[in-house]
Amino acid sequence: MSNVANEFAEKLLNVKAVKVQPSNPFTWASGWKSPFYCDNRKTLSYPDLRSFVKDNLVNLVKANFPEANAVAGVATGAIAQGALVADALELPFCYVRSKAKDHGMGNLIEGTLPEGSKVVVVEDLISTGGSSLKAVEALRAAGFEVVGMVAAYTYGFPIAEQAFAEVNVKLVTLTNYEAVVSVATESGYITADQQPTLDQWRKNPAEWNA
């Protein structure tokens, strides 16, 4: 586990971005029920943490996708993070909606990138990967080359890893479920009686229900 992964996990726990609710599970956009939720958007509220995420996402882009000459954020969670990364890299920026607007210009992609841009996509969180890869599909359909994706956090589900592999998109993240749970367990943020429920959910998240 990288130092950044553990450090970011600690920071997420410090601002209570991680919620564990076995008896009152969350419902994700995919319809899955989950006793665990990580809200990366809370990082935007804390200047030091916001800068930490921005700087380390920038480092991921430089290390893994140096050929990128444009940045796209995935709406809505990664619009701000994507804009911060693009600003730091001094690159053009756009964001991709989950669906085209039903009024005005009817845009799916908001912003203007140079024709044929090599785009790195910024995402805040990866669960099943569905919404993230819809953004990739939209960018490719618009004629851009997607060189890869960086994200603040991933649950690391096999279904997402398979989906990214099938469309040939490299994903690199700052931290992940394993790191957050490890740090949370060591610190007592996750209690011993909550652990079995998390383990059960993790084995089959698509079918789990409290």
Side-chain angles (χ1 to χ4, degrees):
M1 201 70 67
S2 74
N3 290 334
V4 170
N6 285 329
E7 185 177 358
F8 186 34
E10 290 176 0
K11 292 179 182 295
L12 288 170
L13 296 172
N14 286 341
V15 299
K16 300 190 183 325
V18 175
K19 302 294 183 184
V20 182
Q21 297 179 186
S23 60
N24 184 26
F26 303 93
T27 302
W28 292 355
S30 61
W32 288 8
K33 298 291 185 180
S34 172
F36 183 100
Y37 190 78
C38 184
D39 184 4
N40 280 281
R41 285 167 290 194
K42 291 193 73 170
T43 64
L44 296 169
S45 300
Y46 303 89
D48 288 346
L49 182 50
R50 186 172 65 226
S51 293
F52 175 90
V53 173
K54 175 195 68 176
D55 292 344
N56 282 285
L57 287 175
V58 166
N59 290 341
L60 290 185
V61 173
K62 289 180 176 179
N64 294 278
F65 311 110
E67 71 274 31
N69 56 18
V71 178
V74 180
T76 59
I79 293 176
Q81 290 178 341
L84 288 167
V85 169
D87 189 58
L89 292 169
E90 298 183 340
L91 293 177
F93 174 74
C94 72
Y95 69 86
V96 185
R97 295 177 173 273
S98 58
K99 60 181 180 178
K101 289 172 63 178
D102 58 5
H103 60 281
M105 297 293 290
N107 292 336
L108 179 59
I109 299 174
E110 298 286 5
T112 303
L113 301 182
E115 184 176 348
S117 290
K118 296 181 177 181
V119 183
V120 61
V121 180
V122 177
E123 183 63 288
D124 68 324
L125 178 147
I126 308 293
S127 54
T128 64
S131 58
S132 306
L133 293 178
K134 282 183 181 179
V136 170
E137 181 182 359
L139 290 163
R140 286 174 169 170
F144 302 116
E145 178 185 349
V146 175
V147 298
M149 184 181 297
V150 297
Y153 174 89
T154 181
Y155 282 96
F157 294 128
I159 188 175
E161 294 175 354
Q162 181 180 346
F164 275 84
E166 287 177 352
V167 295
N168 194 30
V169 175
K170 180 180 178 180
L171 170 67
V172 189
T173 66
L174 294 184
T175 194
N176 52 59
Y177 175 83
E178 287 80 5
V180 171
V181 169
S182 176
V183 173
T185 301
E186 289 176 6
S187 67
Y189 193 99
I190 290 177
T191 61
D193 63 315
Q194 292 171 330
Q195 193 66 54
T197 301
L198 293 177
D199 292 342
Q200 184 183 35
W201 166 73
R202 182 68 170 167
K203 290 176 182 177
N204 190 5
E207 301 297 328
W208 183 87
N209 198 318

